Amino acid sequence: MRKAARIAMVLFLGGGLWLAFKPGAVGNPRLSFLPYYVNEFVDHMDFWFNLLAFTALAFTAWLAFGPQHGTFEKAINRALWVLGIITVMNIMVEVVQSSIPGRRVDQADVWAGMLGCVLGIFGGCLVQRMMNRRAQDGPPARVLFVDQTGRLGGAELMLLDIAAARAADSEVVLFQDGEFRTALEERGVKTRVLPLGEEAAVVDKQAGMLHALRAMPALCGLILRLAHAARGFDVVYANTAKALIIGGPAAWLARRALVFHLHDIVSAGHFSAMNRRALIFCSNYFASAVIANSEATQEAFIASGGRAELCSVVPNGFHITDEVPATAETTRVRESFGIPAGAWTVLMAGRLTPWKGQKVLLEALKAVPQAHVVLLGDALFTAEDHAYAAALRAQAAEPSLAGRVHFAGFRTDTRTFFELADVVVHASIHPEPFGRVIVEGMLAGRAVIATKAGGAAEIIDHEQTGLHVAPDDANDLAQALLRLQKDPALALELAQNACRTARATYGLDAVQAKIEAVISKSAFPDIKATPAPAAAAA
Ligand code: UDP
């Protein structure tokens, strides 16, 4: 629409200027190719023709450059600009025309121009309003979700629920194939893989300038392919940092709104300096909204230079269910790992990567007699993660731990594992952006111990809904474990409080509604009420 209005505006402007300055414009006849009596008529109707021409010019200028959204104040401001620019042009044309022998400034033309301008802008406002109404009644925004990985991390599990709820109006682009694509397709989400070149795939969160330069050709190719794909959608929704860096320019090229879902703390612990700068630049320049998964994530984003007005906090959401895995299944899984019946069991769920702190838990376990630990999760992303997993296995084989640490690998039946545990531990040594596993532990009715940093510190109320411990402090963690091991009544009380709180705070429907509001606001900025996608509403 804007494009068509701009073309029409240029045609009106060009036509008007040609008529004003065309050769032979000196005196009458004004339109040499028309019969004399028509020219006479045109001369008499001069004021009205000017009025009509300027109305059309201002109308198209408003549709081309007027605000599509915003306040009344903003609209008045823009209207004054359009009126001012066209009037200055109008007067300049009259002044230049008056230098042509036989022509003089025609004040009536100037007045006709100004009046036409006001009428045109008024008409433009009315049409804009009508178009917005129609968009409001129309279908929900079409969203192209973009994620860099084919593996199932926390960010991907959140996206799985969001995309599945609006599958009819969405598609997901992944830069890597894997079990995430399978999970999306199983839930009816159209998914396509646009692979990163090998050079670009190795650029991770800690990458430096050299890696980034080498990856540039592959990144540019991917940006163009993504821009092409984005044309069929209203919004591009980047779910990871790499998706933002590629999806941002792609959305800009395709002239589509960009929403960035920030699942990471933008800090030196999680990103290299170059990646931090790129992430903040792309957010500030390309995104119309940034969704942070916790207050801590939002604070780090703003502290790193991110625009505060873009950012809102929406926590992760979870299916709230009363269904519990059958006891027989829980017992079977316990036995399959060789955990003795009745052994006090600690679960730690999350990918095996140094900052998640599994090493700290194993260290703490040495001081907790007879306790067993189940490590649920695998090394997902980097070579460093795989080396860390190997080091953990070596640590678990130490005599003081042998037989008490069980590696479950990556599983999709996570609820069974929460069920078999007495206590859930979260031990990240860097601030956790959100910490899904903490909420999952709470929803499963387990006492949770979590490190006091980042999003984890926001989820748990110390001594009420769980226990906080200092990050990277095996001794502190051991003390908290011993406390709960010796005091099952305390563990039960914390667990019950936690379950109530988590059910009230992290329901998927409410979280999805908030995300949908951000998407709609980005796609249809003029509309106050947000249309719900068919699938989500169902
Ligand atoms: N998870 C899983 N299978 C596993 C281990 C973990 O499905 O074997 C899930 C876990 O239940 C949680 C997510 O992976 O939903 C991890 O999210 P979290 O926010 O804790 O960490 P992230 O991976 O986002 O850093």
Side-chain angles (χ1 to χ4, degrees):
M1 180 67 197
R2 287 205 154 216
K3 199 170 169 190
R6 277 177 200 170
I7 293 169
M9 192 198 80
V10 168
L11 289 178
F12 276 120
L13 202 56
L17 289 174
W18 180 77
L19 281 176
F21 296 115
K22 72 185 177 63
V26 183
N28 284 329
R30 296 181 68 212
L31 300 166
S32 50
F33 55 87
L34 293 177
Y36 176 76
Y37 65 91
V38 176
N39 274 310
E40 276 290 288
F41 177 71
V42 167
D43 264 358
H44 283 116
M45 296 294 288
D46 206 21
F47 178 87
W48 297 105
F49 275 121
N50 261 308
L51 183 72
L52 199 67
F54 275 94
T55 304
L57 182 62
F59 176 76
T60 51
W62 185 260
L63 292 185
F65 297 108
Q68 284 184 312
H69 56 92
T71 56
F72 182 66
E73 208 176 296
K74 189 173 174 187
I76 292 286
N77 190 308
R78 192 70 65 89
L80 290 176
W81 271 103
V82 173
L83 186 65
I85 290 171
I86 295 181
T87 304
V88 167
M89 273 176 43
N90 185 8
I91 293 171
M92 275 171 57
V93 168
E94 285 297 328
V95 169
V96 175
Q97 273 186 335
S98 70
S99 67
I100 299 171
R103 300 290 302 267
R104 59 192 163 78
V105 174
D106 186 343
Q107 280 196 12
D109 279 1
V110 176
W111 290 120
M114 285 178 73
L115 186 59
C117 232
V118 173
L119 289 176
I121 291 171
F122 184 68
C125 284
L126 287 182
V127 169
Q128 189 78 59
R129 235 181 118 82
M130 267 164 50
M131 289 188 329
N132 290 346
R133 284 244 174 87
R134 205 174 301 158
Q136 188 168 359
D137 297 337
R142 293 158 303 159
V143 180
L144 182 65
F145 293 99
V146 187
D147 195 290
Q148 70 200 50
T149 178
R151 310 302 305 271
L152 274 169
E156 288 68 37
L157 288 164
M158 182 72 250
L159 178 56
L160 184 59
D161 283 332
I162 300 169
R166 53 171 5 274
D169 307 293
S170 308
E171 193 174 323
V172 176
V173 164
L174 303 178
F175 298 154
Q176 190 192 51
D177 206 351
E179 69 265 13
F180 185 26
R181 181 182 59 77
T182 316
L184 284 161
E185 286 175 352
E186 274 170 5
R187 294 194 49 191
V189 184
K190 198 171 166 211
T191 307
R192 70 173 114 165
V193 178
L194 295 180
L196 274 173
E198 247 173 54
E199 297 284 13
V202 295
V203 180
D204 61 16
K205 287 179 186 171
Q206 296 296 343
M209 187 61 91
L210 200 66
H211 271 113
L213 283 178
R214 267 203 228 120
M216 223 24 115
L219 290 183
C220 291
L222 192 55
I223 287 169
L224 292 178
R225 277 184 290 157
L226 196 58
H228 183 70
R231 293 213 173 92
F233 297 85
D234 301 304
V235 172
V236 175
Y237 188 110
N239 196 50
T240 57
K242 219 181 253 183
L244 167 75
I245 286 163
I246 293 162
W252 181 78
L253 283 175
R255 300 221 212 114
R256 294 295 181 268
L258 176 86
V259 173
F260 175 39
H261 199 151
L262 178 58
H263 297 274
D264 295 300
I265 300 235
V266 186
S267 71
H270 293 276
F271 291 94
S272 68
M274 188 201 70
N275 280 351
R276 281 202 304 276
R277 275 197 291 275
L279 185 147
I280 295 296
F281 171 80
C282 288
S283 304
N284 286 350
Y285 193 74
F286 299 120
S288 51
V290 174
I291 299 171
N293 59 359
S294 68
E295 301 282 344
T297 303
Q298 184 184 42
E299 273 164 29
F301 174 74
I302 295 168
S304 302
R307 278 165 53 201
E309 69 274 18
L310 289 180
C311 199
S312 55
V313 176
V314 183
N316 276 208
F318 299 81
H319 294 279
I320 309 284
T321 168
D322 292 325
E323 276 174 38
V324 179
T327 315
E329 175 60 8
T330 313
T331 311
R332 190 192 63 74
V333 173
R334 270 185 89 97
E335 283 170 3
S336 72
F337 288 106
I339 305 170
W344 197 72
T345 308
V346 179
L347 174 73
M348 183 164 171
R351 63 201 145 93
L352 305 182
T353 192
W355 73 270
K356 288 285 185 185
Q358 285 90 352
K359 185 168 172 279
V360 183
L361 173 60
L362 298 197
E363 201 51 42
L365 185 66
K366 292 176 184 168
V368 188
Q370 273 104 48
H372 282 244
V373 160
V374 176
L375 293 181
L376 177 65
D378 212 342
L380 288 191
F381 300 125
T382 63
E384 190 194 13
D385 295 349
H386 289 281
Y388 179 67
L392 284 176
R393 286 181 191 280
Q395 190 182 2
E398 287 174 22
S400 55
L401 295 177
R404 295 204 286 145
V405 181
H406 312 276
F407 290 84
F410 183 86
R411 304 278 295 232
T412 49
D413 55 342
T414 53
R415 184 62 203 260
T416 306
F417 285 82
F418 284 97
E419 214 54 41
L420 65 77
D422 292 281
V423 170
V424 171
V425 164
H426 162 272
S428 295
I429 59 175
H430 293 313
E432 179 76 55
F434 180 75
R436 287 175 63 87
V437 291
I438 300 170
V439 180
E440 287 164 349
M442 294 163 83
L443 287 171
R446 295 294 177 269
V448 181
I449 302 172
T451 50
K452 192 176 182 209
E458 295 162 31
I459 297 172
I460 282 191
D461 192 0
H462 184 52
E463 301 282 352
Q464 296 298 319
T465 57
L467 296 179
H468 279 148
V469 291
D472 205 7
D473 188 337
N475 190 37
D476 203 17
L477 179 54
Q479 294 311 315
L481 284 168
L482 285 167
R483 214 179 137 196
L484 294 181
Q485 191 187 35
K486 288 181 184 150
D487 190 349
L490 171 66
L492 183 65
E493 192 192 326
L494 294 176
Q496 285 171 343
N497 292 345
C499 192
R500 264 196 308 276
T501 306
R503 278 175 164 256
T505 317
Y506 299 106
L508 187 58
D509 289 347
V511 165
Q512 242 155 9
K514 285 183 193 161
I515 288 177
E516 205 54 51
V518 176
I519 290 174
S520 292
K521 180 109 183 69
S522 297
F524 312 117
D526 298 327
I527 297 169
K528 287 194 186 87
T530 55

Short mmCIF file of all heavy atoms in Angstrom, two decimals, residues 152-155 157 316 318 349-351 355-356 376-378 409-412 414 418 432-438 440, ligand 1:
data_model
loop_
_atom_site.label_atom_id
_atom_site.label_comp_id
_atom_site.label_asym_id
_atom_site.label_seq_id
_atom_site.Cartn_x
_atom_site.Cartn_y
_atom_site.Cartn_z
N LEU A 152 17.41 -29.66 21.05
CA LEU A 152 16.33 -29.18 21.93
C LEU A 152 16.88 -28.60 23.22
O LEU A 152 17.04 -29.32 24.21
CB LEU A 152 15.39 -30.33 22.24
CG LEU A 152 14.28 -30.58 21.23
CD1 LEU A 152 13.59 -31.91 21.52
CD2 LEU A 152 13.25 -29.47 21.22
N GLY A 153 17.18 -27.31 23.21
CA GLY A 153 17.54 -26.61 24.46
C GLY A 153 16.29 -25.94 25.03
O GLY A 153 15.18 -26.09 24.49
N GLY A 154 16.47 -25.18 26.11
CA GLY A 154 15.34 -24.51 26.74
C GLY A 154 14.63 -23.55 25.79
O GLY A 154 13.39 -23.51 25.74
N ALA A 155 15.41 -22.77 25.02
CA ALA A 155 14.81 -21.78 24.10
C ALA A 155 13.95 -22.49 23.06
O ALA A 155 12.88 -22.01 22.66
CB ALA A 155 15.91 -20.96 23.43
N LEU A 157 12.50 -25.47 23.39
CA LEU A 157 11.29 -26.07 23.99
C LEU A 157 10.21 -25.00 24.17
O LEU A 157 9.02 -25.26 23.99
CB LEU A 157 11.64 -26.72 25.33
CG LEU A 157 12.43 -28.02 25.18
CD1 LEU A 157 13.08 -28.43 26.48
CD2 LEU A 157 11.54 -29.14 24.65
N ASN A 316 9.06 -17.96 30.72
CA ASN A 316 8.66 -19.17 29.98
C ASN A 316 7.35 -19.70 30.55
O ASN A 316 7.04 -19.48 31.73
CB ASN A 316 9.73 -20.25 30.13
CG ASN A 316 10.88 -20.08 29.14
OD1 ASN A 316 11.52 -21.03 28.75
ND2 ASN A 316 11.14 -18.85 28.70
N PHE A 318 4.51 -23.11 30.86
CA PHE A 318 4.56 -24.58 30.96
C PHE A 318 3.14 -25.15 30.95
O PHE A 318 2.20 -24.52 31.44
CB PHE A 318 5.26 -24.99 32.26
CG PHE A 318 6.68 -24.50 32.32
CD1 PHE A 318 6.96 -23.19 32.70
CD2 PHE A 318 7.74 -25.31 31.94
CE1 PHE A 318 8.26 -22.70 32.73
CE2 PHE A 318 9.05 -24.84 31.97
CZ PHE A 318 9.30 -23.53 32.36
N ALA A 349 18.78 -31.50 35.94
CA ALA A 349 18.41 -31.60 34.52
C ALA A 349 19.00 -30.41 33.78
O ALA A 349 18.94 -29.29 34.27
CB ALA A 349 16.89 -31.62 34.38
N GLY A 350 19.54 -30.66 32.62
CA GLY A 350 20.10 -29.56 31.82
C GLY A 350 21.26 -30.07 31.02
O GLY A 350 21.88 -31.09 31.36
N ARG A 351 21.55 -29.34 29.92
CA ARG A 351 22.65 -29.83 29.07
C ARG A 351 23.96 -29.79 29.83
O ARG A 351 24.14 -28.99 30.75
CB ARG A 351 22.71 -29.02 27.78
CG ARG A 351 22.99 -27.58 27.95
CD ARG A 351 22.50 -26.84 26.70
NE ARG A 351 21.98 -25.55 27.01
CZ ARG A 351 22.71 -24.44 26.98
NH1 ARG A 351 23.96 -24.48 26.63
NH2 ARG A 351 22.18 -23.28 27.29
N TRP A 355 29.14 -24.06 32.38
CA TRP A 355 28.51 -23.05 33.24
C TRP A 355 27.25 -23.56 33.94
O TRP A 355 26.75 -22.93 34.87
CB TRP A 355 28.25 -21.76 32.46
CG TRP A 355 27.14 -21.79 31.45
CD1 TRP A 355 27.24 -22.13 30.15
CD2 TRP A 355 25.77 -21.42 31.67
NE1 TRP A 355 26.03 -22.03 29.52
CE2 TRP A 355 25.11 -21.59 30.44
CE3 TRP A 355 25.03 -21.00 32.77
CZ2 TRP A 355 23.74 -21.33 30.28
CZ3 TRP A 355 23.67 -20.74 32.61
CH2 TRP A 355 23.05 -20.91 31.38
N LYS A 356 26.76 -24.73 33.54
CA LYS A 356 25.57 -25.27 34.22
C LYS A 356 25.94 -25.86 35.59
O LYS A 356 25.07 -26.10 36.42
CB LYS A 356 24.89 -26.34 33.37
CG LYS A 356 24.16 -25.77 32.15
CD LYS A 356 22.86 -25.09 32.53
CE LYS A 356 22.08 -24.63 31.31
NZ LYS A 356 20.88 -23.86 31.67
N LEU A 376 20.45 -35.50 34.11
CA LEU A 376 19.59 -35.64 32.93
C LEU A 376 20.02 -34.59 31.92
O LEU A 376 20.06 -33.40 32.25
CB LEU A 376 18.13 -35.41 33.36
CG LEU A 376 17.06 -35.44 32.29
CD1 LEU A 376 16.94 -36.82 31.68
CD2 LEU A 376 15.70 -35.04 32.90
N GLY A 377 20.34 -35.02 30.71
CA GLY A 377 20.79 -34.06 29.70
C GLY A 377 22.10 -34.52 29.09
O GLY A 377 22.74 -35.43 29.60
N ASP A 378 22.46 -33.87 28.00
CA ASP A 378 23.65 -34.29 27.27
C ASP A 378 24.44 -33.06 26.85
O ASP A 378 23.97 -31.94 26.97
CB ASP A 378 23.20 -35.08 26.02
CG ASP A 378 24.21 -36.16 25.67
OD1 ASP A 378 25.36 -36.07 26.15
OD2 ASP A 378 23.84 -37.07 24.93
N GLY A 409 21.57 -39.08 29.99
CA GLY A 409 21.59 -38.59 28.60
C GLY A 409 20.38 -37.72 28.34
O GLY A 409 19.61 -37.38 29.27
N PHE A 410 20.19 -37.33 27.07
CA PHE A 410 19.04 -36.48 26.76
C PHE A 410 17.78 -37.32 26.65
O PHE A 410 17.75 -38.33 25.96
CB PHE A 410 19.27 -35.72 25.44
CG PHE A 410 18.13 -34.79 25.13
CD1 PHE A 410 18.12 -33.51 25.66
CD2 PHE A 410 17.05 -35.21 24.36
CE1 PHE A 410 17.05 -32.67 25.43
CE2 PHE A 410 15.98 -34.37 24.12
CZ PHE A 410 15.99 -33.09 24.65
N ARG A 411 16.73 -36.93 27.34
CA ARG A 411 15.46 -37.68 27.33
C ARG A 411 14.31 -36.71 27.07
O ARG A 411 14.39 -35.53 27.40
CB ARG A 411 15.23 -38.34 28.69
CG ARG A 411 16.34 -39.24 29.17
CD ARG A 411 16.24 -40.62 28.57
NE ARG A 411 15.03 -41.30 29.00
CZ ARG A 411 15.02 -42.52 29.52
NH1 ARG A 411 16.14 -43.20 29.67
NH2 ARG A 411 13.89 -43.08 29.87
N THR A 412 13.25 -37.24 26.49
CA THR A 412 12.06 -36.40 26.31
C THR A 412 11.03 -36.67 27.41
O THR A 412 10.17 -35.84 27.67
CB THR A 412 11.42 -36.64 24.92
OG1 THR A 412 11.27 -38.03 24.74
CG2 THR A 412 12.27 -36.05 23.82
N THR A 414 10.96 -36.27 30.50
CA THR A 414 11.62 -35.64 31.66
C THR A 414 10.78 -35.74 32.93
O THR A 414 11.31 -35.82 34.02
CB THR A 414 11.90 -34.16 31.37
OG1 THR A 414 10.69 -33.55 30.95
CG2 THR A 414 12.96 -33.98 30.31
N PHE A 418 11.73 -36.15 37.11
CA PHE A 418 11.41 -35.26 38.23
C PHE A 418 10.67 -36.07 39.31
O PHE A 418 10.82 -35.83 40.50
CB PHE A 418 10.56 -34.07 37.77
CG PHE A 418 11.38 -33.03 37.04
CD1 PHE A 418 11.44 -33.00 35.66
CD2 PHE A 418 12.11 -32.08 37.76
CE1 PHE A 418 12.22 -32.06 35.01
CE2 PHE A 418 12.88 -31.14 37.11
CZ PHE A 418 12.93 -31.12 35.73
N GLU A 432 21.76 -17.53 35.48
CA GLU A 432 20.89 -18.27 34.55
C GLU A 432 19.87 -17.28 33.97
O GLU A 432 19.24 -16.55 34.71
CB GLU A 432 20.17 -19.37 35.34
CG GLU A 432 19.22 -20.21 34.54
CD GLU A 432 19.93 -21.24 33.67
OE1 GLU A 432 20.74 -22.03 34.19
OE2 GLU A 432 19.66 -21.25 32.47
N PRO A 433 19.70 -17.26 32.64
CA PRO A 433 18.73 -16.32 32.08
C PRO A 433 17.31 -16.58 32.61
O PRO A 433 16.60 -15.67 32.97
CB PRO A 433 18.80 -16.58 30.58
CG PRO A 433 20.11 -17.27 30.36
CD PRO A 433 20.43 -18.01 31.62
N PHE A 434 16.91 -17.84 32.62
CA PHE A 434 15.59 -18.15 33.19
C PHE A 434 15.69 -19.38 34.11
O PHE A 434 15.53 -19.26 35.31
CB PHE A 434 14.56 -18.37 32.08
CG PHE A 434 13.20 -18.69 32.62
CD1 PHE A 434 12.41 -17.70 33.18
CD2 PHE A 434 12.72 -20.00 32.63
CE1 PHE A 434 11.17 -17.98 33.74
CE2 PHE A 434 11.47 -20.29 33.18
CZ PHE A 434 10.70 -19.29 33.74
N GLY A 435 15.92 -20.54 33.53
CA GLY A 435 16.01 -21.76 34.35
C GLY A 435 14.71 -22.55 34.32
O GLY A 435 14.02 -22.68 35.33
N ARG A 436 14.40 -23.10 33.16
CA ARG A 436 13.15 -23.88 33.03
C ARG A 436 13.10 -25.03 34.01
O ARG A 436 12.06 -25.36 34.56
CB ARG A 436 13.04 -24.44 31.59
CG ARG A 436 12.71 -23.41 30.55
CD ARG A 436 12.76 -24.03 29.16
NE ARG A 436 11.77 -25.08 28.98
CZ ARG A 436 10.51 -24.88 28.58
NH1 ARG A 436 10.10 -23.66 28.33
NH2 ARG A 436 9.69 -25.89 28.43
N VAL A 437 14.28 -25.67 34.21
CA VAL A 437 14.29 -26.87 35.05
C VAL A 437 13.85 -26.56 36.48
O VAL A 437 13.32 -27.43 37.17
CB VAL A 437 15.67 -27.55 35.04
CG1 VAL A 437 15.96 -28.16 33.68
CG2 VAL A 437 16.75 -26.58 35.43
N ILE A 438 14.05 -25.32 36.91
CA ILE A 438 13.63 -24.95 38.27
C ILE A 438 12.10 -25.00 38.35
O ILE A 438 11.52 -25.59 39.25
CB ILE A 438 14.15 -23.53 38.62
CG1 ILE A 438 15.67 -23.50 38.53
CG2 ILE A 438 13.66 -23.09 40.00
CD1 ILE A 438 16.26 -22.12 38.62
N GLU A 440 10.09 -26.56 36.32
CA GLU A 440 9.63 -27.94 36.12
C GLU A 440 9.70 -28.73 37.43
O GLU A 440 8.81 -29.52 37.74
CB GLU A 440 10.44 -28.61 35.01
CG GLU A 440 10.07 -28.06 33.63
CD GLU A 440 11.07 -28.37 32.52
OE1 GLU A 440 12.18 -28.84 32.83
OE2 GLU A 440 10.76 -28.12 31.36
N1 UDP B 1 15.58 -31.12 29.05
C1 UDP B 1 15.04 -32.15 28.31
N2 UDP B 1 15.71 -33.35 28.31
C2 UDP B 1 16.86 -33.52 28.96
C3 UDP B 1 17.41 -32.46 29.70
C4 UDP B 1 16.74 -31.25 29.74
O1 UDP B 1 14.00 -32.03 27.70
O2 UDP B 1 17.40 -34.62 28.89
C5 UDP B 1 14.85 -29.85 29.10
C6 UDP B 1 14.47 -29.42 30.47
O3 UDP B 1 13.33 -30.13 30.91
C7 UDP B 1 14.24 -27.92 30.26
C8 UDP B 1 15.22 -27.58 29.17
O4 UDP B 1 15.67 -28.80 28.61
O5 UDP B 1 12.91 -27.69 29.83
C9 UDP B 1 16.40 -26.80 29.66
O6 UDP B 1 16.00 -25.48 29.88
P1 UDP B 1 16.78 -24.52 30.87
O7 UDP B 1 16.11 -23.20 30.83
O8 UDP B 1 16.89 -25.13 32.20
O9 UDP B 1 18.24 -24.44 30.26
P2 UDP B 1 18.76 -23.97 28.81
O10 UDP B 1 18.96 -25.20 27.99
O11 UDP B 1 17.73 -23.07 28.23
O12 UDP B 1 20.03 -23.26 29.11
#
